[in-house]
Amino acid sequence: MNDLGSLVQQTADRLASPQVGVVVAGLARGATEIRGAGRTGPGPAGGRPGPDTLFEIGSVTKVFTSLALARLTLAGTVALDEPLADLLADALPPAVTVPARGPEPITLRHLATHTSGLPRLPAGMLLSSLLTPNKPDPYAHCTPEWLLASLARTKVRTAPGRSFRYSNLGAGLLGLALAHRAGLDYGELVRREVCEPLGLTDTVLAPDAGQTARLAPGHTAGGRPVPGWNLAGLAGAGALKSTAADLAVLLRAQLATGTDEAPPLGPAIALTREVRHRVNPFAWMHLGWLGHRLHTRQGGHLQIWHNGGTGGYRSFTAFDPEKQVGVILLANTRRPVDTPAVQLLRALQTTHG
């Protein structure tokens, strides 16, 4: 096993347990290594996960939503600074409007960079509802109709465009609005605009029978099975399922953008990274991706990333286009995975960049 493969396997082994499966991918200078460890569940049905095992990827879905936004922007179907209200004008219930604060309306750019001022969750939802073990999908009631009606009770906390405020509500509304403008449901929108051009076959909203057989069941941090989430009308915020193999294709396209190669979706990927809202001196928000540069004492490396979590899954994706390295970590557990994933990325930046 080469050094890249060893580093990837060591990370997977650190997180695996008898009832939890982990798949880790490392990308470095054109090479890709994907390793699995642990088991997806107890008994004969709980096998060792691998490159084609599906996991809920949670908020990594936002990367796909924003890439669809970039594609539709380049096609002239939408504009980054188009108000959300324009896309939803014929979908809102009577007497309901998109909330506002100040003279500037909420735009698609604001939603994709978490600068809309919208709250993290829809009106009436509490963060504690997302953290209760074994609770059914807390977003199940958030149908598109309910979500749009809830805007009547939603308050914008800060003026749009002014400050970063992470919002699942905003990302969900972005996915809903883009799908409405395209005349598709969210899953079909992502398939057409992102998955088909990249050749992704296992990144889906609703898995078919074969994919369901490869879907790792979710678990709490204590190893108890937990129902999956689909997020209903908030699908664009975190409802996709995917595999390490598919996400590796996405990261390879990200790493190739801006080089002499011409990857699929290169112009759209470039647009997502051209947009930048500064969060603090070291961190910023692209369309969908978070970015930061480490302090020089830590190497000064660039890290572009997004993590995710649902009721029984955790995910992490990150890459450094300067060093041409990237990492993916998928697990069917609620235990945190960000730290070992970041440690793997920094090891690759140091040893393979």
Side-chain angles (χ1 to χ4, degrees):
M1 186 182 298
N2 60 34
D3 290 340
L4 176 60
S6 296
L7 288 170
V8 170
Q9 188 66 63
Q10 289 166 13
T11 302
D13 290 341
R14 283 177 57 189
L15 289 166
S17 70
Q19 294 188 28
V20 171
V22 179
V23 179
V24 180
L27 294 81
R29 297 291 177 181
T32 302
E33 294 284 350
I34 303 177
R35 297 285 187 270
R39 299 178 65 81
T40 57
R48 185 184 184 93
D52 298 323
T53 302
L54 276 78
F55 295 81
E56 293 184 7
I57 62 172
S59 287
V60 176
T61 298
K62 294 177 175 69
V63 171
F64 289 84
T65 303
S66 292
L67 194 48
L69 167 61
R71 285 269 289 173
L72 294 179
T73 298
L74 293 175
T77 306
V78 302
L80 287 181
D81 294 316
E82 187 171 2
L84 172 64
D86 288 0
L87 278 73
L88 296 179
D90 62 347
L92 291 169
V96 174
T97 60
V98 173
R101 180 165 182 160
E104 186 172 359
I106 294 172
T107 68
L108 305 185
R109 182 194 302 267
H110 296 148
L111 296 173
T113 57
H114 297 283
T115 57
S116 67
L118 289 168
R120 185 181 184 95
L121 298 172
M125 284 193 68
L126 299 175
L127 184 60
S128 58
S129 68
L130 310 182
L131 305 176
T132 305
N134 297 320
K135 181 180 176 64
D137 183 358
Y139 291 100
H141 68 286
C142 297
T143 63
E145 296 76 17
W146 182 92
L147 184 63
L148 295 178
S150 75
L151 292 178
R153 309 186 304 276
T154 298
K155 294 182 179 180
V156 178
R157 308 299 176 85
T158 57
R162 178 172 297 177
S163 59
F164 174 82
R165 187 185 186 95
Y166 191 86
S167 175
N168 281 329
L169 172 60
L173 287 170
L174 176 61
L176 187 64
L178 294 176
H180 185 69
R181 174 62 63 85
L184 302 168
D185 67 26
Y186 176 76
E188 285 299 302
L189 174 72
V190 170
R191 180 191 60 78
R192 187 186 77 180
E193 298 297 333
V194 181
C195 296
E196 286 189 350
L198 287 175
L200 308 183
T201 58
D202 281 327
T203 300
V204 294
L205 186 62
D208 61 25
Q211 291 164 332
T212 299
R214 291 185 280 119
L215 176 64
H219 292 83
T220 66
R224 297 191 302 274
V226 64
W229 289 1
N230 65 37
L231 281 84
L234 286 167
L240 289 177
K241 289 83 174 171
S242 190
T243 65
D246 266 15
L247 293 177
V249 173
L250 173 68
L251 287 200
R252 283 197 292 268
Q254 294 283 342
L255 293 173
T257 297
T259 70
D260 292 336
E261 298 182 44
L265 303 189
I269 291 171
L271 177 58
T272 64
R273 303 218 301 258
E274 287 168 8
V275 174
R276 180 182 296 210
H277 176 86
R278 179 65 63 177
V279 176
N280 60 47
F282 295 97
W284 59 89
M285 188 74 210
H286 292 301
L287 295 179
W289 290 103
L290 296 104
H292 69 268
R293 189 173 289 280
L294 300 179
H295 193 279
T296 53
R297 290 195 296 269
Q298 298 173 303
H301 299 308
L302 172 64
Q303 297 182 347
I304 300 175
W305 63 280
H306 211 300
N307 59 358
T310 61
Y313 300 84
R314 289 293 180 267
S315 59
F316 189 94
T317 56
F319 63 98
D320 177 351
E322 296 175 349
K323 296 293 185 179
Q324 287 290 292
V325 298
V327 301
I328 298 155
L329 198 155
L330 301 174
N332 61 329
T333 177
R334 287 179 60 173
R335 288 186 299 165
V337 301
D338 290 20
T339 297
V342 170
Q343 290 172 342
L344 175 59
L345 178 63
R346 291 184 64 180
L348 297 183
Q349 289 171 314
T350 301
T351 62
H352 288 74

